Amino acid sequence: MSQTQAERLQAERKLAENQFDITQYDHVPRRYYGRIFFATVIVIAIIGLVRAFAEGKIEWSYIGQFLTSQAIMWGLLNTIVMAVLAMGLGIVFGVITAIMRMSANPILRYVAVTYTWLFRGTPLILQLLLWFNLALIFPTIGIPGVFEMDTVSLMTPFVAALLGLSINQGAYTAEVVRAGLLSVDTGQYEAAKSIGMPRLQALRRIILPQAMRIIIPPVGNEFIGMVKMTSLASVIQYSELLYNAQNIYYANARVMELLIVAGIWYLATVTVLSFGQSRLERRFARGAGKRS
């Protein structure tokens, strides 16, 4: 190879290397104009919101005064008790309905379908009002000649709210549980059947533990929603958090202050429940692999 050809090849090699050398270019940082615009809009909106609350006719001293008042604390306790009881019964109704829905017995299956259709298809507040006014249809409840009781005495605001919330929740929980049961591989059902395990025992010991990983997240969300749905029981005079706050501002006309008090306690309760839900999800997700 001649010297001229070698020099030409070396020049071409240097030219090719320079093509991939980014040090010869000026670095221009990326402009995030969209982020800057939306961040500015959000900051302006927050400032405007804070200014509106600061200049509004809100006596902040009343919020601190009623935040831990006896009526509000009793309302908060009744809200939590109602949410726990209604959700517990709702889970029981939901599991039973889901098992009935997957049963080979057509009567059980149709009853489960009708139950979910009826209580998911009507507003919750309507169901609460129907339960509370049940005495207009059934003046007495019981077994004729053995035990009877006036429906008015039995159907208190607490009982009506508990029935309305739990039965309504059961219709939604049934679909969640059914989805969890369907997520378990059919081989698990067949394996339990091959060793002679009864269906209910297989559900309790093999299927449900595996389905809990799918069931827990939506049921946790439903429980958080139940805490807020108890506020609908105020229409039937159940003494929960919002109902007690309303009774106070009916007397002192501090509407916004008492609504803020109720909102603070709802947020605090939901925050605690959200933390507990995340811990429970991690517990049942062990061994299932990590997912983002």
Side-chain angles (χ1 to χ4, degrees):
M1 181 182 296
S2 64
Q3 183 178 2
T4 304
Q5 291 176 337
E7 291 177 352
R8 186 169 62 250
L9 290 174
Q10 186 176 6
E12 291 177 355
R13 188 181 298 109
K14 289 183 178 180
L15 180 62
E17 292 176 354
N18 290 335
Q19 288 179 351
F20 299 100
D21 185 11
I22 64 174
T23 59
Q24 60 181 326
Y25 300 105
D26 294 332
H27 176 68
V28 180
R30 184 177 178 181
R31 268 73 171 180
Y32 297 95
Y33 296 109
R35 295 183 185 181
I36 296 174
F37 172 76
F38 286 111
T40 303
V41 171
I42 292 173
V43 170
I44 293 174
I46 292 175
I47 292 175
L49 187 63
V50 172
R51 181 179 179 182
F53 273 88
E55 296 179 354
K57 297 180 180 180
I58 300 177
E59 294 291 341
W60 296 99
S61 60
Y62 278 88
I63 297 176
Q65 176 183 348
F66 288 101
L67 190 63
T68 56
S69 64
Q70 184 177 2
I72 295 297
M73 290 293 97
W74 274 111
L76 177 62
L77 178 62
N78 290 338
T79 293
I80 295 174
V81 169
M82 178 58 67
V84 172
L85 293 179
M87 195 65 201
L89 286 176
I91 291 174
V92 173
F93 293 150
V95 171
I96 294 174
T97 304
I99 295 174
M100 291 171 60
R101 181 77 179 270
M102 300 177 65
S103 173
N105 188 328
I107 297 177
L108 295 180
R109 190 165 60 250
Y110 291 146
V111 169
V113 170
T114 303
Y115 167 70
T116 55
W117 167 77
L118 179 62
F119 289 98
R120 289 198 307 169
T122 54
L124 175 58
I125 191 170
L126 173 64
Q127 298 174 32
L128 291 173
L129 291 172
L130 287 174
W131 284 110
F132 189 59
N133 295 281
L134 191 64
L136 298 176
I137 303 175
F138 302 102
T140 59
I141 294 179
I143 302 175
V146 179
F147 172 78
E148 289 184 306
M149 184 177 185
D150 292 337
T151 307
V152 175
S153 302
L154 177 63
M155 203 57 60
T156 61
F158 175 83
V159 174
L162 181 61
L163 289 175
L165 292 170
S166 61
I167 294 176
N168 177 268
Q169 183 59 49
Y172 289 92
T173 306
E175 293 302 296
V176 174
V177 174
R178 188 168 69 93
L181 294 177
L182 291 175
S183 68
V184 180
D185 188 82
T186 55
Q188 301 293 320
Y189 292 88
E190 295 172 356
K193 186 177 180 180
S194 65
I195 62 176
M197 185 175 291
R199 180 177 177 83
L200 291 179
Q201 186 180 8
L203 285 172
R204 180 174 58 88
R205 302 187 61 178
I206 296 178
I207 308 303
L208 276 177
Q210 297 182 61
M212 290 300 290
R213 181 171 56 87
I214 305 298
I215 295 173
I216 287 296
V219 168
N221 290 333
E222 293 287 342
F223 184 38
I224 292 174
M226 176 64 73
V227 173
K228 294 174 288 185
M229 281 196 300
T230 55
S231 61
L232 294 177
S234 61
V235 300
I236 58 173
Q237 302 175 12
Y238 176 65
S239 183
E240 46 79 48
L241 179 58
L242 183 60
Y243 180 78
N244 286 5
Q246 289 175 326
N247 286 339
I248 296 174
Y249 71 62
Y250 286 152
N252 61 13
R254 296 295 178 180
V255 178
M256 188 58 67
E257 290 84 350
L258 269 301
L259 291 179
I260 291 176
V261 168
I264 290 173
W265 280 117
Y266 279 122
L267 285 173
T269 305
V270 168
T271 301
V272 174
L273 292 177
S274 299
F275 175 76
Q277 177 189 355
S278 63
R279 296 292 298 272
L280 196 60
E281 288 179 11
R282 286 198 296 268
R283 176 179 176 82
F284 280 97
R286 291 181 302 180
K290 294 184 178 180
R291 296 182 181 179
S292 59

